[in-house]
Amino acid sequence: MNRSEVIKNTLEFVKKTLANAEGGHDWFHIQRVYNNAKLIAKGEKADLFIVELGALLHDIADYKFHNGDESRGPQLASEFLNTQKVSEEEVAHVIKIIENVSFKGGKEKKNFYSTELKIVQDADRLDALGAIGIARTFNYGGFKGRALYDPEIEPNLNMTKEEYKASTAPTINHFYEKLLLLKDLMNTETGRKIAEERHRFMESYLQQFYSEWDGLA
Ligand code: NI
């Protein structure tokens, strides 16, 4: 089994596992993140095999859909990788990427860093921005039964990880609590450039949203 076979098997495993996933966290999200990650990796010195596995497996069992359980994704991924020709060291690195890739509120501290994590994280963050990011955010809000917007409920910028995970705030608040913060958190030059364009698009989207809300346009 060579590396391209491992990637092929991983693609199949992820597709099958996410067959009934929510629209913003389904196989197509993984495909976009995978493609973004490969693009970003071109500008970095990184182990492409780790980047590809990390991107493909990063949402294999997202805590948001498993009652907040953060251990299930890493566990499922390592069980799968142990059936493939992947060294112990490589499995450990991919698991660290899965554990550290996601955003859980502005106060959450990280304690693992690698170039490969930075690339997968940027690729995942890009998919939270721009037109796709907006679509995914409202889809997830609908999935959770949240209001679109409520002018009475202010965004909370200092949530702990637990508060962030338990939040029931209107979807528009999520722009301020996460999406608009991402461009300044990008790790790579390629990621930052794309993030800035998508950020501007979201700002103009919000302007239009409020003017329609107020009946001005
Ligand atoms: Ni993701």
Side-chain angles (χ1 to χ4, degrees):
M1 197 191 293
N2 61 31
R3 288 186 156 194
S4 73
E5 281 174 291
V6 173
I7 296 297
K8 199 176 133 248
N9 294 341
T10 309
L11 279 162
E12 279 165 19
F13 169 70
V14 175
K15 256 188 204 175
K16 203 172 72 193
T17 308
L18 295 179
N20 299 308
E22 178 267 334
H25 296 82
D26 59 1
W27 158 248
F28 294 109
H29 164 62
I30 304 302
Q31 192 174 50
R32 291 188 300 268
V33 173
Y34 179 58
N35 290 335
N36 285 341
K38 287 194 289 184
L39 177 81
I40 294 168
K42 283 186 187 159
E44 308 294 318
K45 255 190 136 173
D47 181 337
L48 193 61
F49 185 57
I50 298 292
V51 169
E52 292 188 49
L53 290 178
L56 288 171
L57 292 163
H58 85 277
D59 275 337
I60 196 67
D62 190 311
Y63 72 86
K64 288 194 284 302
F65 306 104
H66 295 90
N67 298 319
D69 183 354
E70 290 173 34
S71 65
R72 192 160 160 159
Q75 194 195 328
L76 207 61
S78 69
E79 279 168 18
F80 167 75
L81 290 172
N82 289 331
T83 68
Q84 303 297 304
K85 202 162 178 283
V86 181
S87 74
E88 246 173 71
E89 203 184 315
E90 287 168 328
V91 175
H93 193 169
V94 173
I95 297 308
K96 283 281 177 205
I97 291 176
I98 299 170
E99 285 171 344
N100 288 280
V101 74
S102 90
F103 182 97
K104 301 181 193 78
K107 279 195 160 175
E108 175 68 354
K109 293 263 183 302
K110 296 276 183 244
N111 54 20
F112 172 79
Y113 299 90
S114 76
T115 305
E116 291 76 11
L117 167 63
K118 287 179 180 176
I119 293 168
V120 176
Q121 194 167 51
D122 274 13
D124 192 36
R125 285 174 172 169
L126 286 180
D127 210 48
L129 300 176
I132 299 269
I134 294 169
R136 292 180 69 222
T137 303
F138 281 104
N139 198 64
Y140 184 68
F143 178 79
K144 298 294 263 185
R146 295 181 187 172
L148 298 178
Y149 174 48
D150 184 340
E152 307 266 288
I153 304 174
E154 296 275 327
N156 178 356
L157 295 179
N158 280 304
M159 282 187 275
T160 63
K161 180 169 116 178
E162 284 66 35
E163 287 169 333
Y164 183 81
K165 285 169 81 170
S167 172
T168 57
T171 298
I172 283 287
N173 291 23
H174 193 64
F175 284 79
Y176 300 94
E177 291 162 355
K178 175 181 171 185
L179 309 186
L180 295 170
L181 308 177
L182 292 179
K183 83 165 167 47
D184 293 328
L185 297 174
M186 299 303 284
N187 304 304
T188 66
E189 204 38 50
T190 312
R192 193 164 17 252
K193 274 197 192 127
I194 307 172
E196 275 165 11
E197 281 169 42
R198 295 187 183 190
H199 183 92
R200 278 193 290 276
F201 179 80
M202 290 193 301
E203 283 182 324
S204 81
Y205 171 81
L206 286 168
Q207 252 177 358
Q208 178 79 11
F209 184 97
Y210 296 127
S211 81
E212 292 179 19
W213 186 274
D214 293 332
L216 300 174

